[in-house]
Amino acid sequence: MSLAQVRNRMMDLNFRGMLPIVEGVIDRIQKGELHVTEALDLLLENEWSYRQERATVTRKIRSKIRSGASLEEFDLTLARGISKADLKELAQFEWCDQGKPVIFIGPTGIGKSYLARSLGLLACERGKTSLFLTITDFLENQTIARSCNGYLKFRERLVRPDILILDDLGMRKFSSQEAEDLRDVVELRSYGKSTIITTQLPTDHWSEVIGDEIIRDALIDRLVPTGRIIEMDGPSYRPQLNKKLEKKTAKK
């Protein structure tokens, strides 16, 4: 079998990770630099790495998380109520493995959404699945799903990923049906799946957006007792971010 035939067969079998190195591997075998088993190991390792990278990219795309967020890039020079130890603990994902929720509470611009996005993207790199929705997106999709009898499908989409990120709870008030659907999703996820919520409102102020006391208490009961609550405080980080962007633009 010629090299061209080998490459074509690899294409047919979708062994795209092996393709870039197969010619070099065959050449090294012919020169006696590689044993056959070593060559196979090299080819398989390259294929495995390629498929892992592809799977990670796919998970990130499906997560709907905007790129550019990283725990390593989170600026700890400004006091924001979260420490390096906190970030290290979150990055270990024990909370996710145990299906526990995480709630980031703090004023606007403090970095809550950035941390949530960072954890979602890192989870994708660790082989887990994530899905990011702003509360506005959640409510709009919920309305559409209810109007076309597609709620069960919508709920399944939100229950399926290892981590569901609901960003900016408190931006809109919930009707009783919207609040019940949120509680429904969170309750189903409480059986082994993690939910991250970012909000400006401490849980004892959620009555400002969820008026139904029974639904609100049921929702909080699924989140708070077992959840990791991180209360952040300090000035908005956006002015610092704008300065960094200005410096990058100036260098160009």
Side-chain angles (χ1 to χ4, degrees), residues 65 89-90 92-104 116 119-120 123 128-133 157-166 185-198 222-223 226-228:
I65 302 174
E89 179 188 347
L90 290 169
Q92 291 173 349
F93 285 100
E94 288 185 9
W95 53 274
C96 182
D97 295 335
Q98 297 168 0
K100 294 182 177 181
V102 175
I103 303 178
F104 292 105
L119 288 170
K128 303 178 187 297
T129 53
S130 301
L131 178 62
F132 181 97
L133 280 176
R157 175 174 168 248
L158 269 59
V159 172
R160 189 182 305 120
D162 297 315
I163 298 174
L164 172 66
I165 301 170
L166 296 174
V185 169
V186 170
E187 179 172 354
L188 289 173
R189 291 190 55 80
S190 68
Y191 300 101
K193 300 293 183 71
S194 291
T195 303
I196 296 177
I197 292 178
T198 73
R222 287 296 183 182
L223 292 169
T226 60
R228 178 80 160 84

Side-chain angles (χ1 to χ4, degrees), residues 66 83 112 115 141 170 193 206-207 230:
R66 180 163 48 89
S83 67
K112 306 181 301 296
L115 286 174
N141 280 275
K193 300 293 183 71
W206 285 13
S207 58
I230 299 176

Side-chain angles (χ1 to χ4, degrees), residues 220-232:
I220 291 174
D221 185 61
R222 287 296 183 182
L223 292 169
V224 174
T226 60
R228 178 80 160 84
I229 313 298
I230 299 176
E231 297 186 9
M232 302 174 67

Side-chain angles (χ1 to χ4, degrees), residues 135-136 139 167-174 199-201 209:
I135 285 296
T136 300
L139 293 174
D167 188 45
D168 236 345
L169 177 69
M171 289 297 291
R172 280 179 53 181
K173 290 187 176 181
F174 288 74
T199 178
Q200 296 184 47
L201 297 175
V209 291

Side-chain angles (χ1 to χ4, degrees), residues 73-165:
E73 296 297 324
F74 188 77
D75 192 345
L76 292 166
T77 60
L78 292 181
R80 288 190 271 179
I82 190 165
S83 67
K84 186 175 182 180
D86 291 325
L87 296 184
K88 184 177 180 180
E89 179 188 347
L90 290 169
Q92 291 173 349
F93 285 100
E94 288 185 9
W95 53 274
C96 182
D97 295 335
Q98 297 168 0
K100 294 182 177 181
V102 175
I103 303 178
F104 292 105
I105 302 173
T108 183
I110 200 71
K112 306 181 301 296
S113 298
Y114 185 92
L115 286 174
R117 286 169 46 222
S118 298
L119 288 170
L121 291 173
L122 183 58
C124 292
E125 294 173 7
R126 300 278 181 85
K128 303 178 187 297
T129 53
S130 301
L131 178 62
F132 181 97
L133 280 176
T134 65
I135 285 296
T136 300
D137 288 338
F138 171 86
L139 293 174
E140 289 178 353
N141 280 275
Q142 181 266 357
T143 300
I144 293 170
R146 283 287 179 188
S147 67
C148 63
N149 296 320
Y151 172 70
L152 292 181
K153 186 175 181 180
F154 165 72
R155 185 181 69 179
E156 175 58 27
R157 175 174 168 248
L158 269 59
V159 172
R160 189 182 305 120
D162 297 315
I163 298 174
L164 172 66
I165 301 170

Side-chain angles (χ1 to χ4, degrees), residues 51-65:
R51 295 192 180 199
Q52 289 295 107
E53 291 172 5
R54 283 283 302 275
T56 297
V57 169
T58 299
R59 285 191 295 270
K60 286 184 176 181
I61 292 172
R62 290 177 177 173
S63 74
K64 308 298 182 183
I65 302 174

